[in-house]
Amino acid sequence: MLFRSGLCHATNYQKVIDFDLRGDFERLRAFSQGYPLLGDPPIQARPFDPEKAREHFAKAGYTKTGPDGILVNDKGERLSLTILHRKTEIVEKVMHRLKEEAVKAGLEYKLEGMDSTAYFQKVTQKKHQLASVAFNAQPPFPDHFQHFHSKDAYMEDGKTAKPNTNNLCSFADPRMDEFCEAERRATSV
């Protein structure tokens, strides 16, 4: 979890919004923000903060800074991850800004842009380290089950990511399963 928190603090979406998108967008605070019937959860997106990111990465073992500013661990492994994304002009612009900003936190983002069909196939096969993904949610309610329920995370061995599901992060948590199942059974808000 510390490592993922570090990634959040190392990824400067606000600069993308302010400069590349000229302030025409706003950052969502949560996965299903904007559904008035669900209320306004107190969840906040983690702000870009290179110092906090480095603190989290240090706890994950990345304590030394290489000559190019990228953190390395005791084995000499660089803090380098590949982001899979759709290859379009605007998405590539966004990805390059995120890559540029991440270096301030000691993180190297490598970019892998693909045409939409190949990208979606690779993402759903879970053959990526990180993926830039956006799903359209259909009101009046989001469907958390398809994105977060354990049944769509791993194969029966509990280790191999289950392909061809919308649980793209292979998220598995029994507490979330209970929430997803209750949400599906609900007959009112």
Side-chain angles (χ1 to χ4, degrees):
M1 185 63 177
L2 291 174
F3 188 79
R4 289 184 181 191
S5 295
L7 294 178
C8 293
H9 285 298
T11 308
N12 197 350
Y13 283 108
Q14 196 58 51
K15 188 165 187 180
V16 167
I17 291 167
D18 293 343
F19 291 95
D20 301 306
L21 303 175
R22 298 187 173 111
D24 289 337
F25 294 83
E26 69 180 72
R27 185 173 182 191
L28 296 179
R29 297 185 320 247
F31 181 82
S32 46
Q33 177 186 341
Y35 287 87
L37 295 176
L38 295 180
D40 191 15
I43 298 169
Q44 295 292 320
R46 291 177 175 92
F48 179 68
D49 187 332
E51 288 181 30
K52 277 190 181 177
R54 285 177 181 269
E55 288 173 20
H56 289 298
F57 295 146
K59 291 175 186 172
Y62 291 90
T63 56
K64 301 172 187 162
T65 304
D68 58 354
I70 304 302
L71 293 169
V72 295
N73 62 19
D74 288 338
K75 297 177 189 173
E77 298 167 330
R78 293 165 50 82
L79 182 54
S80 178
L81 298 165
T82 300
I83 302 178
L84 179 64
H85 63 88
R86 288 184 313 112
K87 192 172 188 171
T88 66
E89 184 178 343
I90 188 67
V91 173
E92 288 200 325
K93 188 176 186 179
V94 166
M95 291 297 114
H96 282 283
R97 174 72 69 195
L98 295 178
K99 175 181 178 166
E100 175 184 287
E101 291 292 303
V103 173
K104 295 173 183 175
L107 172 63
E108 177 186 45
Y109 279 145
K110 294 179 182 176
L111 305 178
E112 182 180 6
M114 301 179 82
D115 72 78
S116 294
T117 301
Y119 154 84
F120 190 72
Q121 285 179 336
K122 189 167 183 174
V123 168
T124 58
Q125 291 296 313
K126 304 200 176 105
K127 295 181 178 178
H128 60 278
Q129 284 185 305
L130 301 172
S132 172
V133 179
F135 277 107
N136 184 10
Q138 184 68 33
F141 304 106
D143 181 10
H144 295 101
F145 192 97
Q146 67 176 315
H147 301 289
F148 298 110
H149 197 280
S150 297
K151 81 168 194 63
D152 289 333
Y154 293 99
M155 302 297 279
E156 288 184 22
D157 66 7
K159 297 177 184 175
T160 307
K162 189 174 186 179
N164 299 318
T165 74
N166 285 339
N167 187 339
L168 302 178
C169 299
S170 298
F171 184 87
D173 184 319
R175 295 171 299 167
M176 188 64 172
D177 291 348
E178 289 175 19
F179 169 76
C180 291
E181 290 163 12
E183 184 180 63
R184 280 234 166 139
R185 288 189 307 269
T187 57
S188 66
V189 179

